[in-house]
Each structure stands twice: as C-alpha cells, then as structure tokens.
Amino acid sequence: TDTQQFLNLRPQARLYCFEPDPRAIARFKEKLGPSLNRVKLLEIAISDRNGMIDFHPSNADGDAKEWDLSGSIRRPKNHLTEYDWVRFDRPVSVETRRLDDWCSEAKLNTVDLIWMDV
C-alpha cells in the first residue's frame, strides 16, 4: 500500500523495495499488479552484514492466518509478550545485504528518502 502511494505521489520516482518474507513478496506483487514494472523489488533483508540469516516469519490463527506484517531477522521475545496472538513458526533462511554495499553495487550515489520498517 505504501509503495503504491509513493508511486501515486511521485510517478517518476525510482523505488527500490526490499522484502525477505516470501508471503509478503507474493502479496506485494499481487497488490501492485500493473505498477510492479515501476519498482525494483529485491527479495532480501537489509542488515548489518552480507550473507544469509534466519528470518522469523510471524503467523497467527483465525483472521490473522499467514500474518506477514511483523517478521524479523532477530529472534522474537518482547513481541510475544505484547501480542500474544502472534506466533513465530520455523525460521527461513534469507539473504542479507548491507545497504551501503547494495547502493555501491547498484551505483546509487544519492538517496532522497528511506522508508524503513524496523
């Protein structure tokens, strides 16, 4: 939703989107539909190191089944106390990249805005 709003506000913007959760990737592609060709989606996590790491996807039951809005590369702990309806099933291995390294490889010298969920 946020990506589509950015595209609506700035149709000429170049958007680079990073997402490690396969479920959120599928939802992103579905929601963006025809606008998908206007963004670059990278199926990786941004981290403090390059490599692979366990990603802990969130989940729940009932209406929140396949909840993909609070996964993390950090093992959950306090999250479970505040949101007892969320659970974290098996972690999945995902690629990680340092943002500085990715920008250098992409030859991206200027960044106007970073919209990051941390």
Side-chain angles (χ1 to χ4, degrees), residues 42-56:
L42 296 113
E43 299 179 12
I44 62 175
I46 297 299
S47 179
D48 62 344
R49 68 192 84 120
N50 298 323
M52 301 296 288
I53 197 166
D54 280 346
F55 176 78
H56 303 272

Side-chain angles (χ1 to χ4, degrees), residues 14-54:
R14 287 186 297 162
L15 299 182
Y16 301 93
C17 303
F18 302 86
E19 177 57 59
D21 189 325
R23 300 164 308 160
I25 290 167
R27 187 168 47 86
F28 182 93
K29 290 176 179 178
E30 179 186 324
K31 294 274 187 190
L32 245 54
S35 297
L36 192 57
N37 65 350
R38 297 173 52 204
V39 303
K40 174 83 172 147
L41 174 62
L42 296 113
E43 299 179 12
I44 62 175
I46 297 299
S47 179
D48 62 344
R49 68 192 84 120
N50 298 323
M52 301 296 288
I53 197 166
D54 280 346

Side-chain angles (χ1 to χ4, degrees), residues 41-111:
L41 174 62
L42 296 113
E43 299 179 12
I44 62 175
I46 297 299
S47 179
D48 62 344
R49 68 192 84 120
N50 298 323
M52 301 296 288
I53 197 166
D54 280 346
F55 176 78
H56 303 272
S58 60
N59 209 337
D61 294 315
D63 291 340
K65 186 164 178 49
E66 294 302 317
W67 178 265
D68 64 355
L69 301 176
S70 60
S72 177
I73 60 175
R74 300 189 74 190
R75 178 178 221 132
K77 47 183 180 179
N78 294 339
H79 189 100
L80 298 171
T81 329
E82 294 195 32
Y83 304 97
D84 59 356
W85 55 273
V86 174
R87 69 175 191 273
F88 291 86
D89 299 328
R90 249 179 262 123
V92 294
S93 185
V94 299
E95 181 182 351
T96 61
R97 298 290 296 141
R98 291 182 64 246
L99 190 56
D100 286 343
D101 292 343
W102 181 85
C103 286
S104 178
E105 292 164 8
K107 298 183 180 8
L108 191 63
N109 298 321
T110 305
V111 175

